[in-house]
Amino acid sequence: MRSSTSMAADSSSSSAAFFSGIPLIDLSAPDAKQLIVKACEELGFFKVVNHGVPMEFISSLESESTKFFSLPLSEKQRAGPPSPFGYGNKQIGCNGDVGWVEYLLLNTHLESNSDGFLSIFGQDPQKLRSAVNDYILAVRNMAGEILELMAEGLMIQQRNVFSKLVMDEQSDSVFRVNHYPPCPDLQALKGTNMIGFGEHTDPQIISVLRSNNTSGFQISLADGNWISVPPDHSSFFINVGDSLQVMTNGRFKSVKHRVLTNSSKSRVSMIYFGGPPLSEKIAPLASLMQGEERSLYKEFTWFEYKRSAYNSRLADNRLVPFERIAAS
């Protein structure tokens, strides 16, 4: 991969200290639901422990993914270009965004990932299929539990109001494995950042992220400052997505995030994006509207929002076209 000016970031955060204020939530603790709501309101981002996902599932999938990304480029490209699923390299989406990244994008309905696609993963494609399957099922169940704790913390009577959308057999969830190779050019470009994946929010309801022990992930605070998130390969990080921000009428914040590259270490991350069925209508929940409070957003289907989001650039505020204009 060659560097380009479009991958450069402001140098002010190149040596940003790790942020010590990431909310840490023990999913087995009795106050987890209140702490989740507080984290979603204040930061739109938190870390979970005691999550119930077996470490062997995590290690197995990371190992299989690393094997794939270690293959010669010509072999990896047999799984691409992504349309939308498959192998991608540098190009992010179809609107000109680029990054120092290669990735695999997979459907979470594993029967849709054809044998032809999986056959490129060496002599035993079933090993990768099994690793992906085990991991996605465990992470989806954890996402459902977190969403139910959110509903409880918001005192919504229908406990599964959020979780039913990602647990639905028609849910439009996707799974992504990103690989950020070391960027040796950075050693000669002291004080400069290279963008691995540009700033954006996630359009879905919830994102579940984990990575190996290499740093680079950053989130944006309300004041616009970027902060570095300390890596933790055994825990999961949770992002509030645009759809959840809408359903809570802006009470929960969809967090803007990005990835910077490392000059010497390779970074592998796995992200489960929990999305609703394509026909699902997304709008602020009436049960969360207080008094004279009005909806900040027009109702839309997930299909409409997804189409709009994927026709935008990464850094765009994708919710703007769906906001209600206040009467003057």
Side-chain angles (χ1 to χ4, degrees):
M1 296 183 193
R2 300 184 61 181
S3 61
S4 73
T5 54
S6 61
M7 293 184 195
D10 60 287
S11 59
S12 61
S13 55
S14 60
S15 58
F18 285 130
F19 182 62
S20 60
I22 303 296
L24 173 63
I25 295 168
D26 180 343
L27 291 183
S28 66
D31 61 350
K33 54 183 178 288
Q34 290 90 356
L35 293 176
I36 286 173
V37 168
K38 187 171 186 283
C40 290
E41 290 176 338
E42 295 180 355
L43 207 60
F45 184 79
F46 55 94
K47 180 165 85 169
V48 296
V49 295
N50 281 329
H51 45 69
V53 179
M55 272 305 296
E56 58 263 34
F57 289 2
I58 296 170
S59 301
S60 175
L61 183 52
E62 186 171 303
S63 173
E64 291 302 309
S65 301
T66 301
K67 282 183 199 170
F68 171 75
F69 289 121
S70 300
L71 292 171
L73 180 60
S74 59
E75 291 189 44
K76 291 182 285 192
Q77 286 177 327
R78 289 166 57 192
S83 57
F85 301 111
Y87 172 78
N89 186 330
K90 292 186 289 188
Q91 303 296 324
I92 300 170
C94 55
N95 300 300
D97 290 300
V98 293
W100 191 267
V101 63
E102 58 179 346
Y103 62 88
L104 282 168
L105 188 64
L106 301 175
N107 193 325
T108 57
H109 301 291
L110 291 159
E111 65 278 2
S112 302
N113 295 318
S114 69
D115 290 334
F117 169 64
L118 289 173
S119 68
I120 64 140
F121 291 92
Q123 300 299 310
D124 186 14
Q126 189 55 39
K127 194 169 181 185
L128 177 88
R129 184 195 289 273
S130 177
V132 170
N133 203 352
D134 289 343
Y135 183 89
I136 287 177
L137 287 175
V139 169
R140 182 178 64 184
N141 287 336
M142 175 184 59
E145 179 189 353
I146 290 169
L147 290 169
E148 292 188 354
L149 287 170
M150 276 182 196
E152 284 186 18
L154 289 167
M155 293 184 285
I156 298 173
Q157 203 164 22
Q158 188 183 354
R159 187 172 187 262
N160 70 341
V161 67
F162 302 126
S163 65
K164 66 180 182 180
L165 303 179
V166 300
M167 303 303 284
D168 192 294
E169 62 180 20
Q170 297 299 317
S171 84
D172 184 45
S173 300
V174 296
F175 180 63
R176 185 180 185 108
V177 184
N178 288 329
H179 173 234
Y180 302 93
C183 185
D185 289 355
L186 287 180
Q187 293 171 337
L189 299 170
K190 289 188 171 142
T192 301
N193 288 321
M194 185 73 79
I195 290 293
F197 208 111
E199 63 179 80
H200 64 287
T201 60
D202 294 335
Q204 289 90 353
I205 293 170
I206 191 175
S207 306
V208 181
L209 161 74
R210 74 154 300 276
S211 68
N212 61 359
N213 250 348
T214 303
S215 62
F217 188 81
Q218 295 189 326
I219 63 173
S220 177
L221 298 179
D223 61 9
N225 283 324
W226 288 97
I227 55 166
S228 293
V229 176
D232 182 344
H233 72 286
S234 63
S235 302
F236 287 89
F237 293 93
I238 309 299
N239 291 358
V240 170
D242 296 344
S243 297
L244 187 57
Q245 177 172 317
V246 170
M247 294 180 77
T248 60
N249 205 33
R251 182 168 168 181
F252 288 1
K253 307 302 181 188
S254 180
V255 65
K256 187 179 289 185
H257 52 285
R258 68 182 183 183
V259 176
L260 303 184
T261 57
N262 190 292
S263 63
S264 58
K265 293 182 179 178
S266 178
R267 184 173 187 270
V268 175
S269 62
M270 309 168 185
I271 314 99
Y272 169 84
F273 299 96
L278 288 170
S279 59
E280 185 69 32
K281 291 179 179 176
I282 306 295
L285 296 174
S287 57
L288 292 180
M289 308 288 269
Q290 299 175 352
E292 300 290 312
E293 184 180 356
R294 294 189 177 185
S295 170
L296 300 177
Y297 305 97
K298 306 168 189 171
E299 183 180 86
F300 52 83
T301 65
W302 167 239
F303 175 79
E304 290 169 334
Y305 190 61
K306 181 181 179 181
R307 181 175 57 188
S308 174
Y310 286 92
N311 283 329
S312 65
R313 297 293 299 268
L314 267 183
D316 291 346
N317 184 339
R318 296 158 170 165
L319 280 172
V320 167
F322 299 91
E323 290 175 353
R324 291 190 185 277
I325 308 299
S328 55

